[in-house]
Amino acid sequence: MAYFDLPEAELRTYRPERHEPADFDAFWAQTLNEAREHARATQFELVQVPLTTVEVFDVTFSGAAGMPVRGWLVLPRARREPLPCVVEFLGYGGGRGLAHEWLLYASAGYAHFIMDTRGQGSAWRSGDTADAGSGGEPHLPGFMTLGIRDPHSYYYRRLYTDAARAVEMIRSHPAVDAARVAVTGGSQGGGLALAAAGLIPDVVACLPDVPFLCHFERAVRITDSLPYGEIAQFMRVQRHAITDVMSTLSYFDGLHFAARAQAQALFSVGLMDDVCPPSTVYAAFNHYAGTKQIEEYPFNRHEGGQAHHDLKKLTFLNEVL
Amino acid sequence: MAYFDLPEAELRTYRPERHEPADFDAFWAQTLNEAREHARATQFELVQVPLTTVEVFDVTFSGAAGMPVRGWLVLPRARREPLPCVVEFLGYGGGRGLAHEWLLYASAGYAHFIMDTRGQGSAWRSGDTADAGSGGEPHLPGFMTLGIRDPHSYYYRRLYTDAARAVEMIRSHPAVDAARVAVTGGSQGGGLALAAAGLIPDVVACLPDVPFLCHFERAVRITDSLPYGEIAQFMRVQRHAITDVMSTLSYFDGLHFAARAQAQALFSVGLMDDVCPPSTVYAAFNHYAGTKQIEEYPFNRHEGGQAHHDLKKLTFLNEVL
Amino acid sequence: MAYFDLPEAELRTYRPERHEPADFDAFWAQTLNEAREHARATQFELVQVPLTTVEVFDVTFSGAAGMPVRGWLVLPRARREPLPCVVEFLGYGGGRGLAHEWLLYASAGYAHFIMDTRGQGSAWRSGDTADAGSGGEPHLPGFMTLGIRDPHSYYYRRLYTDAARAVEMIRSHPAVDAARVAVTGGSQGGGLALAAAGLIPDVVACLPDVPFLCHFERAVRITDSLPYGEIAQFMRVQRHAITDVMSTLSYFDGLHFAARAQAQALFSVGLMDDVCPPSTVYAAFNHYAGTKQIEEYPFNRHEGGQAHHDLKKLTFLNEVL
Amino acid sequence: MAYFDLPEAELRTYRPERHEPADFDAFWAQTLNEAREHARATQFELVQVPLTTVEVFDVTFSGAAGMPVRGWLVLPRARREPLPCVVEFLGYGGGRGLAHEWLLYASAGYAHFIMDTRGQGSAWRSGDTADAGSGGEPHLPGFMTLGIRDPHSYYYRRLYTDAARAVEMIRSHPAVDAARVAVTGGSQGGGLALAAAGLIPDVVACLPDVPFLCHFERAVRITDSLPYGEIAQFMRVQRHAITDVMSTLSYFDGLHFAARAQAQALFSVGLMDDVCPPSTVYAAFNHYAGTKQIEEYPFNRHEGGQAHHDLKKLTFLNEVL
Amino acid sequence: MAYFDLPEAELRTYRPERHEPADFDAFWAQTLNEAREHARATQFELVQVPLTTVEVFDVTFSGAAGMPVRGWLVLPRARREPLPCVVEFLGYGGGRGLAHEWLLYASAGYAHFIMDTRGQGSAWRSGDTADAGSGGEPHLPGFMTLGIRDPHSYYYRRLYTDAARAVEMIRSHPAVDAARVAVTGGSQGGGLALAAAGLIPDVVACLPDVPFLCHFERAVRITDSLPYGEIAQFMRVQRHAITDVMSTLSYFDGLHFAARAQAQALFSVGLMDDVCPPSTVYAAFNHYAGTKQIEEYPFNRHEGGQAHHDLKKLTFLNEVL
Amino acid sequence: MAYFDLPEAELRTYRPERHEPADFDAFWAQTLNEAREHARATQFELVQVPLTTVEVFDVTFSGAAGMPVRGWLVLPRARREPLPCVVEFLGYGGGRGLAHEWLLYASAGYAHFIMDTRGQGSAWRSGDTADAGSGGEPHLPGFMTLGIRDPHSYYYRRLYTDAARAVEMIRSHPAVDAARVAVTGGSQGGGLALAAAGLIPDVVACLPDVPFLCHFERAVRITDSLPYGEIAQFMRVQRHAITDVMSTLSYFDGLHFAARAQAQALFSVGLMDDVCPPSTVYAAFNHYAGTKQIEEYPFNRHEGGQAHHDLKKLTFLNEVL
């Protein structure tokens, strides 16, 4: 999609006013405490894979409200522990897939934890984690409007909590150096990386790629593309719910997490991205509180920098971890 | 969509072999018993609507596993009770909407009960019923694959049960003549009407329009259109789950309910329907056990006969109720 | 379609200069006089419908140049006459359909007249009125360019006249209180409601929903969507006709009727409407001469407020009729 | 569009049963007589064009019921009269355009008459002929369903008559050798060429390219593409009119004209043509009564053979005219 | 496509800064000299065509680096030489086709040379000229990125040179008046006409229609449509090549040729053209150095003025040649 | 895309007649000899990548006619040589990309050679190899019709030769066990794997996924999807070239290579694949001369088995290499 958002020059300084609920921090403190109180011991089960350079563990840890969440921990077979660790979150609709799909970071010498996404994982890569906490409120097919009438029941309350818990959990693994943890992910995974960096103060690096879940107020108006489009479609039918929906979303806006994050950040953005429009990415970037840089891909859409950017990320991680 | 299914002549006699699980009846008997055991008193609350010819009640009754399900009961204001009753189920993605949207059957002198669809009701008409029973297993956005790995957890186990319970419930209302109840609906609503007619032996009339949820084995192969397409898309990603999915669906195939139904039936079918292909509708029709007739719309797609067919339905109801 | 028109804040005050032909009033006075001169007695024929709460009459009245136009008159069976009356005009491509499709206003206690649309009525709901007055000039398939080279031969000259005549006609029916007539309709029907309110000075209420036929100068440039798109497509081929076309349209622009209307108005607009872009609706609203209010549907397209807005309309009618 | 119709081998022998009305010949004899009775003198007006090799006349002749129809007569400036003449009919939606668009046949030494298409001529090439005979019956936007409820009011009754009259008219022009007239055209123009060849017994050559208006019974079922799709769409809404529509079309089916035609024929067909599917073209070809040949374009759609085929047509004309 | 570019008023004065390489003139002087040095005698072979008013020659001349390029020379059969000559270049993807496709200009009394486009000529009209000079560098399917990493290897270096050489070559033909040569073409052909007018100082007239290859910096950002979209798509994958690509394109930008051209010009532009957006056409027009005028088609897309504009061009040519 | 090809049961035994040119073997023997004669020493250059478990070499070897072709050789850093080797060919439009994109096979203990695709590599993954041998004949944008008028000039003559040469070349590397080489690839890569297995007799394993370039006669007729669709589109314009094109393709049809191949094979096929329709894959499979098995993905399109199938391939390789 050709340039459709703000002019390039405006993008780079776009820093819209944030509308943060007064009890934002309280809401999340209470949510995380509830999760921690229900946490049980993490299970790490060695997986039989036909691979010789890495080892993979099937992980089950306690996420939101203590509910079990799955993930893969991939470690280089030849290692001197403890290792710096990359925690990765996933894009909308996909799950953790199969163990042998995750070779990059471990092949570069890092511990790599891939968190499965509850309920998702059937649209393009399979997943294994149930989203047991849903009350089943009427919603549009998809996850964007699941429980959206109230921040406490919203799907992303559970998923953001899983993400923060994943970081806390992996730090306690003996192979991981708790002081050298980075969070990353693309699209929804980028939004979760921002949330984790905003909720867990001492994460060292945050690498959100074409992040989703940022600046909802604008996003739901300027793009029809999914998944933001699900929210507009819901409000198209549930016309009386618009105020509630926008109020709920204010607890989950990446802008507020960005404004709290201290990790060194490397963002990426596609200037032709209609899924996560560049102005919404720059809104998060320009509010980001920590040291930061951003890589612009002027002719890319939501695919962003792909392998080209992976190389930049490996270089960045070598420097900061 | 131009003719893409079997030739017209073959359609009319298409009666594929049914593959019914051995414990089909036991499964549903146990499911309905569980629902009945948890049933609580139905609530009927008079709604303030700016209408003078009808009265509307907001109904909350006990559906699957006793969970609350909503609906509207619309009665002609001028009435001599008890009235024959039309129970209506809804198409995929829609909910019961607002009370004043349902005027046809009451304006024709019937009691009319419209059952809300759990969890749905945000894609094109709003709904008010939660689907509390979901375990949240990974699924494709949409309802077609929610819990589909096991018949006990499948979304439609709950929804079919709601439909059967709706019939049982409305019969006990003083304004309704329990001996004169018809079930109807279009698309998903038609599939639910077939299920209700198969599960509740003494329903008098069954009027499924362009019914969905019939002959899954063929449907998931010959059309990409949603909602059948959701199932194919799920199996596209969850490749190892194909056997489980097809096994689960065998408990929910409209063909098996049709083979048990005794109500007088009026079906309708669109010969250019790519959402519910005509061969899948005729498969149900040709297996239907009761007295039956079918109205063909040779140039219609999934919209079927619309107001034109409503008139035929009113005539049919006048005769059989 | 995501926001594509003027920014929200500008929309609300958008009041473009009007370019009205000098003989606008003379043109319409002459046109209406011609219609009245050729008028014959209206026929009301009771229709056999399987409905108990309402009565329906098949109406044939004299429209433009006295040509016969059809409609339905729906009355509550239990009534104390004379009743306030709602005159409804229809969207592009549809006709009056079948009698039992029109239950809302009579169920709320109003006389309800639905005017058929000449020549239309085959694209999505059937119609029964011929458009005998066409000279058959070359035109793009569709009605938007039928006779568009001259205001006297333009299709909408006949249709607007039918609309004004419908109001005059229905007022003389014994069941109707001539002092309490409202006009309404969606899209093309909204444009006709505006025309009727501009042509018939003492209509009491005007409720145009997502009105079409407003602010042609802008509409034909900012949207490709049909039916405005038909006009652009015509001028794409008939390049030498652009001046004539724009001149003709100036006799039919809803802005000029709005500037004359005195009825109390309730507009509705979808901010994502690409068929009748919000700026064209606001242009009419901001020029509307009578008391007025507008309901905005921020995430809706051309469907506007649907049943949700019907409820607001019933409330508004209860107050003003 | 890839192969979607009958297998290649079956196509070549496809000769479906024809269902011809008993009064087919009477209907057309009466229609043509009526036209001849109302005929007035043809006008030929020399047009100022910046061309040196040809002369162009703007022609107005009497078509159906004597109504005026326009056309261009293009003659090589250097000529020895009388010339053989090619009469050309046009595709759906287009008109005769501008005089300098028609250079091929006159540059090859023929008189060339291009008949304008009444009412059309705004979708892709402009036209100048009104369709004054329409009663304005409700129809789908487009010309396919204009007056389709009765063969006497059907649009194509007028247009086919124009085509036959064009041949009769041009023969009387002094520059034309009445014994050497060919008819041709693509798509709708091909259907009109077949009709003219069926109605005027002594036309010498008929060159229908990818002809439309053939074998309606099958065409309306196997393709959604316009313009056949207009008919299906009409019957989708006007469900009660299906029998009338199919009865009307039986008076206009190219198969019946083909079965009467005696001119030497050169057909062309695109095997991937979804607008005029190859089986419908072969149905006409295989029923064609005169000497005939067909050029197959195996990988072409509705564009058929284009300039490549024009060369074959010039060669064919050189031989037979 | 509705208006999507700059507002109409801004379009007409849009004259962006040009970014011309310092060695632009040297680059082209060297390129043309190389071509001239390798030039061999042009071959003119009379073609057998079934046409009586014109003669056609199959031309092979020496283009870029002396490589053979094909073309048609069409001459009125009745002529008094030398004739003024129209040199025509072709749109993207098409070739010179067949000889009888080119009748307009010769029928108006001009010599007409149609240059084939190397390597193209298979997407919509056939061609006969190979592009032997390609090094085969990795490129996106299409011609826009063939050799784009360096201006010396870029496909359009060869094609622009062919265009300039075509003008030089045709001037030496005895039937042509070298002092009265015009260049024209649509889209890519319009871009080539601008290039030829910029490279050959004494061309008398330049008639670029909806010209392509102008103002690349903006074009690749504001439209996804092909062929500009090929360049953006290439840079989407070859992310490291963006600087090289933009540098190469600066040697081929129509703006720089326009700024050098002295021929009298008649441009045309479609205000709804998404293939060659109007701002890119006006950018060239407003930089054009010679006497100039432009015809705006307010409702046209990339088809521009078609036959309507051909008439304006014939009039213009009559005046200036 | 829902099932559109032969019925499932017929697919599995579909073995169409092969139409092999008499000089097929001679053509390829001569082609390979020419390549071998021009071969120069292969270069292996160690690449700096931020990876710890593997080493990567940038390879330049002599392909068709000795022209340089690039590739990556990825080796596990911890290894005991010589290793079994997997040679991988790539899908249409993509190139070898960046070194760190290829981790799977080396992480499983294999030497892994990824051959770049000449000229391609800009549509979705970048490439670095020029296709210097093109004569630049007119072709449709894309590679499918480049030089297609003659088998000697056809693009795939060069690319198939590169593939065969890649196998020969990698066998001579000291880290590779020449007796244990497998060939694989998806889509175009699958077609190249078949070609390599047919041309190099002692390859041990062949794993073509959803192979392209098989059974052209049928493929170009039953699908419009690219890249097969390019060939049909070319013949749509170059109508006179159809015989030549089909003759050329007969030298490149995967069916003939399959009929010669002796390697143990594991195929995969998507039953809903419209890019490489299942009948064309089964045609190759059923003609395959060696020991063979096939994995069916009943609900997948051209994506086939993805990571799910990679696991099956690793298991298969463990057994046969």
Side-chain angles (χ1 to χ4, degrees), chain A residues 50-54 76 98 100-101 103-104 106-109 124 306-308 310-311 314-315 318, chain F residues 50-54 76 98 100-101 103-104 106-109 124 306-308 310-311 314-315 318:
Chain A
L51 301 173
T52 59
T53 62
V54 300
L98 301 180
H100 63 279
E101 299 187 58
L103 292 171
L104 183 64
S107 298
W124 50 276
Q306 296 176 310
H308 194 83
D310 282 336
L311 210 52
L314 288 177
T315 304
N318 275 346
Chain F
L51 300 173
T52 59
T53 62
V54 300
L98 301 179
H100 64 279
E101 298 188 58
L103 293 171
L104 182 65
S107 297
W124 51 275
Q306 296 175 309
H308 194 83
D310 282 337
L311 211 52
L314 287 177
T315 304
N318 275 347

Side-chain angles (χ1 to χ4, degrees), chain C residues 185-199:
Chain C
S187 195
Q188 178 182 265
L192 291 171
L194 279 172
L199 291 169

Side-chain angles (χ1 to χ4, degrees), chain D residues 49-54 76-77 98 100-101 103-110 124 306-311 314-315 318, chain E residues 49-54 76-77 98 100-101 103-110 124 306-311 314-315 318:
Chain D
V49 283
L51 301 173
T52 59
T53 62
V54 300
R77 192 174 293 270
L98 302 178
H100 63 280
E101 299 187 58
L103 294 170
L104 182 65
Y105 291 112
S107 297
Y110 297 95
W124 49 275
Q306 296 177 309
H308 193 83
H309 191 65
D310 282 337
L311 210 52
L314 287 177
T315 304
N318 275 348
Chain E
V49 284
L51 301 173
T52 59
T53 62
V54 300
R77 192 174 294 269
L98 301 179
H100 63 279
E101 299 186 59
L103 294 171
L104 183 64
Y105 290 112
S107 297
Y110 296 95
W124 50 275
Q306 296 175 310
H308 194 83
H309 191 65
D310 282 337
L311 211 51
L314 287 177
T315 305
N318 275 347

Side-chain angles (χ1 to χ4, degrees), chain E residues 232-268:
Chain E
Q233 198 180 340
F234 179 84
M235 295 192 287
R236 188 167 297 144
V237 174
Q238 303 271 18
R239 293 172 182 86
H240 49 287
I242 295 179
T243 307
D244 285 356
V245 166
M246 297 313 296
S247 166
T248 292
L249 292 173
S250 70
Y251 288 85
F252 301 89
D253 196 321
L255 270 56
H256 309 326
F257 295 104
R260 284 161 172 79
Q262 297 299 331
Q264 285 196 54
L266 172 62
F267 282 67
S268 67

